[in-house]
Amino acid sequence: MSNKESNLILIIDFGSQYTQLIARRVRESGVYSIVKSNYISKNEFSKLKPKGIILSGGPESVSSTKIHKLSGFILESGIPILGICYGMQLITHYFKGKVSLSTKKEFGHSTFKITKSSKLFNSLNKKIKLKVWMSHSDKVSKLPVGFENLGSSDNTKIAAISDPIRKIYGLQFHPEVTHTDFGAQIINNYLYKICNCKKTWTTKNIINETIENIRNKIKDKKVILALSGGVDSTVVAALLHKAISKQLTCIFIDTGMMRKYEVDEVKKNISQKLKIKLITIDACKIFFSKLKNITSPEKKRKVIGETFIRIFEKEAKKLKDIQFLAQGTIYPDIIESSSKNSKSDVIKSHHNVGGLPKNMNLKLVEPIKSLFKDEVRKIGKSLKIPMGLINRHPFPGPGLAVRIIGDITSDKVKILQEVDHIFIEELKKNNLYNKISQALAVFLPIKSVGVMGDQRQYNYVVALRAVKTVDFMTASVSEIPYNILNKISTRIVNEVEGVARVVFDITSKPPGTIEWE
Ligand code: XMP
């Protein structure tokens, strides 16, 4: 049995913004975890054989008529359960305790005091107050029979519960959030003291297991991979290369919408450093002609996706006897595309590929589809992929095309490439790049008046954007010191011909998306 199956924590998602974070924290502690909806079938549940179950938080109230239920076969399975926030209230409700509306809601920081020793709080000092992260308007007001109160918070008398006989635990606060003191210790206690998990989810094990799975699946067949130059597809290439070396061919299509030096960097990293077979196709002319006069963001994405796939198909057909198509799908793609509380997982078509090649009859291989981005990065590091590439901010599949507002021309792309290059170079020089989740420059199709020396000029405006985010679903604006913004702006206007003015975008997401288109 693989280490995944023998040692699994099942996370039931009730719609909390922190569900993925719970899964990541469990994995960081060394145990494989997966996220499923509360409609998981008995059959699927039995097959998973989890060592423990974590019920996430969620926006609903257990007293509402729309309550997200959980079947008794899970709650009474005898497998240890940890309910977090809504999860704890659901446990209380199911086992006939009482949940009521809190007169004082708690959102944000609170303090928690342990009032009773428990395996969940193993090695935590009972005397100290823990800073914890809360996000609730309901509270447990009466314990179910068999349960005991483990601690209280500023406004909630019952903020942690347990039934040690049935191994059911509940926390009103969020141990998965870094603002909670000893959150990782509490999760560790649950995994190792209560569920008796083994620490098997390590980078080395993940790599070995993935390579073994690839070999079993591919055997002596041939694989192609559409390489985007980003971390996911590069890690997939490196894993496949390690597993089946010469049976892999990567195809990299230069759409003309890449960043400055990107095409050369991809070639250098893949062919020279990693020694992987790479075919590079210069398709800039085709993309520019297909995109001519197109201004709608969705139309741009569609045209790029379709053009990409047609070129990929044509090139792949030139190679003989290919049976598999590899993709860099990662776990958040799968979780996010399976709608909340739906009964099945729907896999999102890959951004960069824009759909599978038609009429090619290729089987899919997705070696990193159960991994989170941070795990992919760790694997990349271990496989000696250059750190510059591993820590690179995300870049959309359609590339600079969705960062040029309005129609696309090669002159505009050139301007944007230069602006982006200066912006990113300065962020790196000033040690800001790794503190920002995504930084980007946008070309605006408006002209503005300026003076350069004694000359009046009338040129384009560019916008800079830098955001901080955990999951890219919401984001806040990164604060860049004014003196650095000033330097960036001066460099752009002085060094990039065609730009007269630089603006900085201070819109968070929501309401603004990260990309402008
Ligand atoms: P938004 O703009 O939706 O972006 O807030 C969230 C994240 O997704 C990236 N993004 C894309 N990635 N193809 C991609 O591969 C796309 O069409 C696309 N649109 C947005 C964006 O860069 C950010 O990281």
Side-chain angles (χ1 to χ4, degrees), residues 301 351-352 394 396-398 438 472 509 513-515:
R301 282 191 169 80
H351 266 324
N352 299 326
Q438 191 167 1
F472 295 89
K509 173 181 178 178
T513 48
I514 295 173
E515 301 291 343

Side-chain angles (χ1 to χ4, degrees), residues 210-220 242-244:
T210 309
I211 288 174
E212 199 187 314
N213 290 344
I214 292 172
R215 285 186 182 141
N216 289 339
K217 182 162 182 166
I218 308 291
K219 301 199 168 73
D220 60 347
K242 229 173 151 48
I244 52 155

Side-chain angles (χ1 to χ4, degrees), residues 23 45 48 83 106 181 187 231 271 296 340 470 501 509 517:
F45 178 74
L48 288 175
E106 285 179 302
D181 287 343
I187 290 174
V231 61
S271 307
S296 143
K340 290 269 167 332
V470 176
R501 199 171 288 263
K509 173 181 178 178
E517 287 204 327

Side-chain angles (χ1 to χ4, degrees), residues 19 44 66 68 84 130 163 167 183 185 203 244 262 277 314 385 391 400 407 410 414 420 427 464 484:
T19 304
E44 190 181 4
K66 286 193 306 190
H68 286 317
I84 296 173
L130 309 182
D163 177 342
K167 295 187 184 160
Q185 177 68 48
T203 303
I244 52 155
E262 191 163 14
K277 207 193 303 168
K314 197 171 129 211
I385 292 173
N391 290 328
L400 298 180
D407 72 313
S410 59
K414 271 194 206 110
D420 172 85
L427 292 179
L464 306 180
I484 296 169

